[in-house]
Amino acid sequence: MRTTATTTNKLRKMQEQATVLVIDDERAMRDACCQALSRDGYKTETAEDAETGLQKARQKEPDVVLADLKMPGMGGMELLERIRDIDAHIVSIVITGYATIESAVEAMKRNAYDFLPKPFTPDHLRIVIRRALERRRLSIEREQLQQEKEIMKRNFVTLVSHQLRSPLTSVKQYFGVILGGYAGEVVSKQKQMIEKAGSYVDNLIQIIDDWLEISRIEAGNFAGRFEAIALAPILSDTLRLLKPSAEAKRVTLEMNSRDELPVVEGDPNSLKQAFANLINNGIKYNREGGMVIVSVGEEAHDLVVEVSDTGVGISEDDIPFIFDEFFRVKSKETRGISGTGLGLPIAQRIIEGHNGFIRVASEVDKGSTFSVFLPKTEVKQ
Ligand code: ADP
């Protein structure tokens, strides 16, 4: 979960001294704007064309951009959109000698907040800049509030999850006692019902555990415990643990790895958990008689672990969402397969916490390959 640190910094920097970037091909215009703005205590930066302007917008992190609409090379309209891509909180004001209603409307649509028709006075410029800075402050504060609300919501869910876990475990234990016949005779119909209720409780406990796991990872709880790890033994351990569920589904597990592989820096238990989630999915979403192949190789500066399965695959439409919390594909093939929709987000957060990333390739009815890239450390095993 992102914190509000970046937005807080932006706000503090702006309040200490706001930066205005003036992008105009006319030198006289740049100088006049800078003179008026410096007199009011603003920091100014200038660029004589859109390309340089974009570069400065990236380097100098301005609060406000004053941009000429008509410049040689990249036009002002494209410039406005690209500035928004750099930082949506930068407030853009367009300056132009051809102040037509149409160009003003077009500029507003492309992210301009205000419009300054040439010629303008220093006072007019000051008013517009002050308004733009107020707009920036509000926009950053709105994002901060949204982030805080999101954090509170997640903290609340985590708190409730903690509170729910032990009573649910007790319910499960009572079911065990009843099913064991310690509370009197249980007839077959009752047994079926209690077993069903038990599997619902199991699902709930699994969701809670997965959620608590996500919160633990987000709190960065594993980052301090990094050590040099060889991936091959981690993967063999994980495969051994998952062997019974693979056998139950008649899925064959296979591993390919070289002996001499570089190590990675990481937390062994978290990495085991990430790979277990991927391999377990390869088993769950497979067909009877299918395969899951885990292979480790190298690519440039990374170690790459591929988890390939011969399962149901994931459609192109679903792939963009599979790492979202609680997302589960609803189809004929996945019906009846239990899960929480948290396995992939957990794996992704763990891998990103190790400065790595996950890539997916999949074909419906053929299978999927999840590739995990982790930066290798130079020392050999
Ligand atoms: P779940 O607990 O539902 O398995 P995940 O977050 O691990 O949650 O995965 C999200 C969804 O992505 C799954 O519900 C499934 O539809 C799809 N998915 C994940 N891995 C695979 C796979 N190897 N093959 C096919 N579908 C998969």
Side-chain angles (χ1 to χ4, degrees):
M1 168 88 233
R2 259 183 319 142
T3 64
T4 54
T6 16
T7 44
T8 309
N9 283 344
K10 277 183 192 165
L11 212 54
R12 205 189 44 222
K13 212 171 125 249
M14 180 180 100
Q15 276 154 354
E16 275 167 12
Q17 191 184 28
T19 305
V20 181
L21 168 62
V22 185
I23 310 174
D24 198 313
D25 54 336
E26 261 182 69
R27 190 190 175 132
M29 177 55 72
R30 296 198 301 271
D31 289 348
C33 289
C34 288
Q35 219 175 37
L37 294 170
S38 307
R39 226 178 286 141
D40 282 4
Y42 298 118
K43 189 170 165 203
T44 56
E45 296 288 343
T46 57
E48 64 282 2
D49 56 52
E51 294 290 352
T52 323
L54 278 177
Q55 226 172 42
K56 289 218 170 161
R58 265 182 231 111
Q59 290 162 356
K60 309 287 178 185
E61 300 176 351
D63 301 288
V64 176
V65 168
L66 270 177
D68 188 2
L69 267 189
K70 292 261 186 291
M71 280 184 292
M74 186 197 305
M77 296 297 180
E78 187 183 343
L79 173 67
L80 290 177
E81 283 182 349
R82 296 192 46 188
I83 285 176
R84 180 179 46 198
D85 292 342
I86 294 172
D87 172 3
H89 296 301
I90 295 179
V91 182
S92 297
I93 298 163
V94 288
I95 30 180
T96 180
Y98 307 90
T100 62
I101 293 286
E102 293 93 273
S103 55
V105 170
E106 184 62 19
M108 299 295 178
K109 278 192 200 152
R110 311 268 188 123
N111 183 41
Y113 169 65
D114 215 337
F115 201 75
L116 263 174
K118 285 186 206 171
F120 50 84
T121 64
D123 279 343
H124 191 181
L125 174 64
R126 276 186 204 111
I127 292 168
V128 171
I129 293 287
R130 235 174 280 144
R131 225 165 33 205
L133 286 170
E134 181 60 10
R135 154 80 174 204
R136 177 167 163 89
R137 183 181 66 78
L138 290 173
S139 143
I140 295 175
E141 281 178 356
R142 191 181 56 202
E143 189 184 322
Q144 274 182 329
L145 284 174
Q146 270 163 355
Q147 287 172 343
E148 277 163 24
K149 193 171 126 198
E150 187 62 22
I151 291 172
M152 279 171 66
K153 232 162 56 186
R154 296 178 74 90
N155 286 348
F156 176 72
V157 178
T158 304
L159 183 88
V160 173
S161 305
H162 264 297
Q163 302 290 328
L164 280 178
R165 203 183 186 290
S166 31
L168 280 172
T169 315
S170 303
V171 169
K172 183 77 194 163
Q173 281 162 353
Y174 278 118
F175 283 165
V177 171
I178 296 171
L179 287 175
Y182 300 105
E185 199 197 331
V186 188
V187 297
S188 148
K189 184 98 187 151
Q190 290 168 331
K191 186 167 173 264
Q192 268 175 23
M193 288 167 123
I194 290 177
E195 276 169 356
K196 185 124 196 149
S199 78
Y200 288 138
V201 174
D202 281 342
N203 272 348
L204 270 178
I205 294 177
Q206 188 59 54
I207 292 178
I208 288 172
D209 286 348
D210 281 355
W211 181 269
L212 294 177
E213 181 63 18
I214 283 221
S215 311
R216 184 184 74 86
I217 297 162
E218 273 170 0
N221 277 350
F222 57 82
R225 292 186 266 119
F226 276 18
E227 55 189 76
I229 321 173
L231 282 184
I234 292 232
L235 291 164
S236 316
D237 279 359
T238 314
L239 283 168
R240 200 172 321 116
L241 279 175
L242 292 171
K243 207 162 173 233
S245 45
E247 279 171 358
K249 179 123 189 183
R250 292 213 311 112
V251 168
T252 314
L253 300 180
E254 199 180 291
M255 176 159 157
N256 301 322
S257 167
R258 279 193 291 114
D259 289 339
E260 277 278 302
L261 275 173
V263 290
V264 296
E265 282 291 312
D267 172 45
N269 288 332
S270 302
L271 285 177
K272 269 185 201 170
Q273 158 104 60
F275 292 125
N277 290 2
L278 297 179
I279 299 167
N280 194 31
N281 280 350
I283 300 168
K284 274 201 308 189
Y285 300 102
N286 220 315
R287 306 172 195 287
E288 279 215 357
M291 281 192 91
V292 177
I293 302 173
V294 179
S295 51
V296 198
E298 291 180 65
E299 207 178 294
H301 301 290
D302 293 317
L303 274 191
V304 187
V305 179
E306 280 188 358
V307 180
S308 291
D309 65 63
T310 54
V312 298
I314 309 162
S315 74
E316 248 176 68
D317 291 346
D318 288 321
I319 283 193
F321 305 105
I322 56 171
F323 290 97
D324 290 354
E325 286 163 7
F326 300 111
F327 178 83
R328 306 201 67 219
V329 174
K330 287 188 186 71
S331 67
K332 204 156 53 40
E333 282 75 22
T334 58
R335 198 181 305 142
I337 301 176
S338 71
T340 60
L342 289 171
L344 288 181
I346 288 177
Q348 188 179 47
R349 280 172 174 76
I350 293 174
I351 298 305
E352 286 178 354
H354 285 75
N355 300 315
F357 60 95
I358 307 182
R359 225 188 262 153
V360 194
S362 190
E363 209 177 320
V364 173
D365 284 339
K366 292 242 165 73
S368 315
T369 298
F370 286 77
S371 307
V372 176
F373 292 74
L374 285 166
K376 56 189 176 196
T377 23
E378 293 314 312
V379 205
K380 297 261 173 188
Q381 287 174 42

